[in-house]
Amino acid sequence: MTQDLLTEAERRQWASLGYLHLRKALNDDDVIRTREALAAVEHDFTSGDHNAWADVFDAGNDRDLSITNGLKWCPELDMLVDHPNVFGRIVGLLGPYLQLLGSEIFFRYPSAEPLVAFHTDQGPSLRNGAVGPSVQLKAQFFLTDVATDNSGNFAVVPGSHLQTFPGKIDYRDVDRPVQIRAHAGDVVVFPLALGHGVAPNDTETTRVSVVLRFGQLFCRPVDYWTTPDPAILARQTPRRRRLLGDFGARTRPGDVYGVIPDQLDLIYGEEWADSTQATHDFAEASRALDAYQVF
């Protein structure tokens, strides 16, 4: 597709501001199909007793519905995992030795109060052990418009990924937060170190979005302990199976730290095999294999 997975402008923005805004990454058909599927999920979760409330979390208020393990509840999300207009950027930021760690579904209902205080998604383990923003990141897919302020916007503190963010901060105590104005089909990619929150929703429309969490192979998933339910894996393409932790029959847990023979072929595929980064990674893998065979 392209010789570069990220433009120089995107790399500069990622380094300085701490996020990328990919406009019109999803086409109208993708948006409509996914939003209709999520409407059914919302109805299922809000229509009385549900058999999996363990997958529901919220921000400590009654103004949203937040669901983890999104792929389990909505198969239509599968196509987002390696969407051609987004996944190349993810690989450009994290490299090819990555996996999908989690999937979340968000319904942000109308509310005059800010929906989520400012925070990071790191926690003490990543905060103390990670160096830079390249260990984990998230991609938020917007399925409804948030084109004006106070529409339940995803709000950020640009550049905060370069600092030690001081825990959770009340939304109104953050100096000049930036509310991202997005349209349905837009995607915002950000590292877990970026301070972010959710603005009030003064509209009559529920904001609907999906967040996918990607990380290096050595990171622990958050939707499951090892791999997803067999039914989820069974419907995936080979690349998506790999991103969900399926390394095939002849593998061991420690392989996430070693050479996985088909990793680059699966991740880069035909779409990104000619990119500058893929060319470099294939050459490095070949040299590493040659060195290994010497011993």
Side-chain angles (χ1 to χ4, degrees), residues 87 96 102 117 134 240 251 269 278 284:
F87 189 66
S134 59
R240 293 172 190 168
T251 55
E284 285 292 311

Side-chain angles (χ1 to χ4, degrees), residues 161-264:
H161 66 302
L162 302 174
Q163 308 168 19
T164 301
F165 199 82
K168 185 174 287 188
I169 305 174
D170 187 89
Y171 187 94
R172 302 187 193 283
D173 291 338
V174 173
D175 186 30
R176 292 188 298 276
V178 173
Q179 296 192 30
I180 302 226
R181 298 181 179 183
H183 289 279
D186 288 3
V187 178
V188 173
V189 183
F190 61 101
L192 272 61
L194 185 72
H196 62 279
V198 180
N201 186 356
D202 292 337
T203 73
E204 297 180 356
T205 302
T206 297
R207 192 204 89 186
V208 182
S209 64
V210 171
V211 170
L212 299 184
R213 178 173 180 162
F214 294 89
Q216 301 295 337
L217 283 177
F218 59 78
C219 296
R220 181 189 293 276
V222 296
D223 275 354
Y224 46 85
W225 287 107
T226 54
T227 56
D229 293 341
I232 296 176
L233 285 176
R235 67 179 192 243
Q236 307 299 335
T237 64
R239 178 195 284 148
R240 293 172 190 168
R241 289 178 66 95
R242 177 58 52 82
L243 290 168
L244 288 167
D246 181 3
F247 294 96
R250 299 184 63 185
T251 55
R252 299 171 300 173
D255 287 348
V256 298
Y257 302 106
V259 176
I260 305 170
D262 61 349
Q263 180 74 9
L264 299 182

Side-chain angles (χ1 to χ4, degrees), residues 272-290:
W272 301 285
D274 293 332
S275 67
T276 303
Q277 180 172 309
T279 301
H280 173 270
D281 287 340
F282 276 109
E284 285 292 311
S286 178
R287 283 193 290 270
L289 183 60
D290 290 343

Side-chain angles (χ1 to χ4, degrees), residues 58-114:
D58 60 31
N61 56 53
D62 296 322
R63 302 185 293 273
D64 73 336
L65 172 63
S66 306
I67 303 170
T68 62
N69 216 348
L71 296 185
K72 175 181 178 181
W73 300 109
C74 188
E76 286 77 8
L77 301 186
D78 292 353
M79 64 97 175
L80 302 181
V81 171
D82 59 348
H83 194 281
N85 293 335
V86 180
F87 189 66
R89 266 73 166 236
I90 303 297
V91 177
L93 293 167
L94 288 178
Y97 301 99
L98 76 167
Q99 63 179 315
L100 180 70
L101 300 171
S103 51
E104 300 168 313
I105 302 168
F106 292 104
F107 302 94
R108 307 296 197 187
Y109 301 120
S111 171
E113 294 297 318

Side-chain angles (χ1 to χ4, degrees), residues 109-122:
Y109 301 120
S111 171
E113 294 297 318
L115 294 173
V116 180
F118 273 87
H119 62 286
T120 72
D121 291 336
Q122 284 188 305

